[in-house]
Amino acid sequence: MIRALLLSTLVAGALSCGVPTYPPQLSRVVGGEDARPNSWPWQVSLQYSSSGQWRHTCGGSLIEQNWVLTAAHCISSSRTYRVVVGRQSLSTVESGSLTIAVSKSVIHEKWNSNQLAQGNDIALLKLASSVPLTDKIQLGCLPPAGTILPNNYVCYVTGWGRLQSNGALPDILQQGKLLVVDYATCSQPSWWGSTVKTNMICAGGDGVTSSCNGDSGGPLNCQAANGQWQVHGIVSFGSSLGCNYYRKPSVFTRVSNYNDWISSVRTGHAVSPRALPGPGPMRAMPTYVLRIPSLLLRARKCRLGQSPQGSPWALTVSV
């Protein structure tokens, strides 16, 4: 009896949110790298149906057994979606991985695809059935409401985004170390200027590692003092000058600004959302032009990326 209780306690501990059964291997590799299998067990692949095939378009985070957190710009009312959980390789049907249909998409009522820089790039996907939690499928934790990470706080972005600007999409889940850039720095004219808002998080900008096409909607994972990983950010946008441009860090939706909204959607008390925006198959997306002072910018290879389907994550910068 005692042995059974001990085993139950160990299993419950392993399945608590933000504590992977298989902890991530956090090396000092510059750029991105293959993630340890199932070490980010809340990471999902958001896929849409096209010509009889399912295609990866964005990432997401499993935050309840029937709810996935992602970016609003990933969602189009004209598409049919599913999520894949517990997966390391997108091309392989792995033991323990599951595929679940999306029954409902709810985007933030203040999201406007023509005003990406205003933020509110957040959406929740309700799954058609609850996902059983295992050693390979676990929940991501939300940070406490209002949490602001300090400058240079270490986080990790994960996803199946492009390995470099206009490059190939990886088959294996990637992870990349990013340092948080605080709002005071990121909002300076030589960085993102007034484009970033306090409902966003900047991370990266070193010209080495960033998010890019295919990572959109995925998590910015940051570890709390107690060892628990929390989903502090949702990949939102970057510079069209490249997956990673010097002093143009990846920009994420700040999850801690939306705890109340997330709770209201999950409990059914949210404001009725308007019709889902998003690019249909033939819709041309807007171009955002920013003007900043002339400065030395260095573009380098990146290892992680955002949505490959032309979603409006990239901002055009004129220098």
Side-chain angles (χ1 to χ4, degrees), residues 162-243:
R162 296 192 186 279
L163 298 178
Q164 62 186 45
S165 298
N166 302 314
L169 290 168
D171 180 58
I172 301 297
L173 181 67
Q174 302 289 295
Q175 66 181 36
K177 177 180 177 181
L178 296 180
L179 301 184
V180 169
V181 180
D182 63 17
Y183 176 75
T185 301
C186 199
S187 60
Q188 291 180 7
S190 59
W191 289 69
W192 271 113
S194 61
T195 300
V196 297
K197 307 295 187 293
T198 56
N199 58 5
M200 305 173 185
I201 297 176
C202 297
D206 59 359
V208 178
T209 309
S210 77
S211 58
C212 197
N213 307 86
D215 287 327
S216 281
L220 179 67
N221 306 286
C222 310
Q223 195 169 29
N226 64 359
Q228 180 187 68
W229 289 94
Q230 298 172 345
V231 179
H232 274 264
I234 302 168
V235 178
S236 182
F237 66 86
S239 173
S240 65
L241 294 173
C243 283

Side-chain angles (χ1 to χ4, degrees), residues 135-154:
D135 61 335
K136 297 180 178 180
I137 303 171
Q138 296 169 28
L139 302 180
C141 296
L142 301 182
T147 302
I148 303 294
L149 296 173
N151 197 51
N152 288 326
Y153 199 92
V154 176

Side-chain angles (χ1 to χ4, degrees), residues 14-66:
L15 299 182
S16 62
C17 78
V19 184
T21 302
Y22 310 102
Q25 295 173 337
L26 307 177
S27 72
R28 296 185 178 182
V29 174
V30 175
E33 59 184 332
D34 292 354
R36 179 185 184 185
N38 308 117
S39 60
W40 306 103
W42 46 88
Q43 172 81 47
V44 310
S45 166
L46 177 62
Q47 302 180 354
Y48 71 96
S49 178
S50 175
S51 302
Q53 295 184 324
W54 290 97
R55 303 179 184 276
H56 171 82
T57 184
C58 281
S61 303
L62 186 71
I63 60 169
E64 288 289 345
Q65 287 179 255
N66 61 337

Side-chain angles (χ1 to χ4, degrees), residues 16 37 73 86 89 104 118 122 132 156 173 176 198 211 224 251 282 286 293 311:
S16 62
H73 81 256
S89 166
K104 182 173 70 172
Q118 292 304 310
I122 184 172
Y156 286 81
L173 181 67
T198 56
S211 58
V251 181
M282 301 302 293
S311 299

